[in-house]
Amino acid sequence: ETGVTQSPTHLIKTRGQQVTLRCSSQSGHNTVSWYQQALGQGPQFIFQYYREEENGRGNFPPRFSGLQFPNYSSELNVNALELDDSALYLCASNRIGDRVYNEQFFGPGTRLTVL
Amino acid sequence: QKEVEQNSGPLSVPEGAIASLNCTYSDRGSQSFFWYRQYSGKSPELIMSIYSNGDKEDGRFTAQLNKASQYVSLLIRDSQPSDSATYLCAVPQGGATNKLIFGTGTLLAVQP
C-alpha cells in the first residue's frame, strides 16, 4: 500500500456525461499526477499539479481538467465523455524537491467505463 | 521511434530461473529510470529505481543501466509464480514536470 487513495473504485457513465475522480496523495507528498491506462497499454500522462497549479500536461484535450487543493489532494474532471475514455485512471504522488527524483507512487486507480 | 520501448512478451520462464526484462529509451538526457510491476487488474507498484550506470540490487531484483546504449534492464532471480505480472519501464521526460513516459510493458509468466 502506497498511502495514495482514489475514489471511486469503479464508475459507469454514458457518452456525453461528465465525471469527477478524486485522489488523496501520500503523506508528505506535494505533487499529484494523473495517468490514463487503456487496456494492454502503459499509463499515459494526463497532467500534473504542484502548488495547486497545473505543472505540465500531456496530449489530452481541454475537456480533461483538474484541481489540486491546499491539502494536496486532487480531482480529475472529464467532460463530454467519449467511448474511448474508458480506461483505468491512475493518480500518482511524489514530492518535488526530494533528493530521490521523480519516484511516483500510484493509487489503486479508478476503472471508468463509458457506454 | 517510441520514447520507451519494451518487448510485450509474454516472456515465459520456469520457476527458479532468471527472468530478464529489457527496455530502451530515446532521450539521452534522461537521468532516472524506474521499473513498476503491475498485477492484472491492479495499479503499478514501484519496485526499482536506478540513476547511475551499472547494477543496483534489491533482494531478488537487479536493475542494470547503460546510458551510452540507452538501455535499462531488470533481472529477477529465482523467479516465483507470484512474479507473474506485467513489468513497466518508466523514464521521466525531462524538465520540471516529472512526467513519466511508460513503455507498453512486458508480461512475465513464471511456470511452476
Side-chain angles (χ1 to χ4, degrees), chain A residues 6-111:
Chain A
Q6 291 186 246
S7 64
T9 305
H10 296 88
L11 205 50
I12 299 175
K13 292 286 190 178
T14 55
R15 198 168 42 180
Q17 285 189 310
Q18 178 266 343
V19 69
T20 297
L21 310 182
R22 295 178 175 83
C23 170
S24 291
S25 61
Q26 182 170 315
S27 177
H29 285 180
N30 55 16
T31 304
V32 172
S33 302
W34 287 92
Y35 294 82
Q36 180 196 66
Q37 187 176 25
L39 207 58
Q41 301 297 315
Q44 299 291 314
F45 178 78
I46 302 174
F47 43 55
Q48 183 183 85
Y49 278 84
Y50 172 59
R51 290 183 175 176
E52 301 178 47
E53 292 191 356
E54 189 177 286
N55 184 42
R57 188 179 183 94
N59 294 327
F60 281 82
R63 59 190 185 84
F64 286 78
S65 63
L67 287 172
Q68 186 182 32
F69 300 99
N71 66 354
Y72 307 119
S73 65
S74 177
E75 287 183 355
L76 164 65
N77 299 290
V78 187
N79 293 322
L81 284 167
E82 300 177 359
L83 297 180
D84 284 350
D85 295 333
S86 295
L88 180 66
Y89 287 85
L90 297 161
C91 166
S93 76
N94 67 308
R95 182 175 178 81
I96 287 181
D98 272 357
R99 182 177 180 276
V100 181
Y101 303 119
N102 298 330
E103 283 196 347
Q104 296 186 17
F105 298 91
F106 285 91
T110 294
R111 173 73 62 187

Side-chain angles (χ1 to χ4, degrees), chain B residues 32-84:
Chain B
S32 50
F33 307 86
F34 306 99
W35 283 99
Y36 287 82
R37 176 176 64 197
Q38 186 172 27
Y39 292 113
S40 180
K42 301 295 186 182
S43 63
E45 173 193 6
L46 180 65
I47 56 172
M48 286 290 278
S49 307
I50 187 165
Y51 306 93
S52 304
N53 275 331
D55 295 0
K56 178 183 176 183
E57 186 175 318
D58 184 1
R60 295 187 296 112
F61 298 99
T62 298
Q64 299 176 318
L65 175 60
N66 184 326
K67 290 185 179 180
S69 299
Q70 295 174 248
Y71 176 92
V72 57
S73 65
L74 180 70
L75 301 178
I76 305 175
R77 291 182 300 282
D78 188 25
S79 294
Q80 301 297 309
S82 59
D83 295 326
S84 298

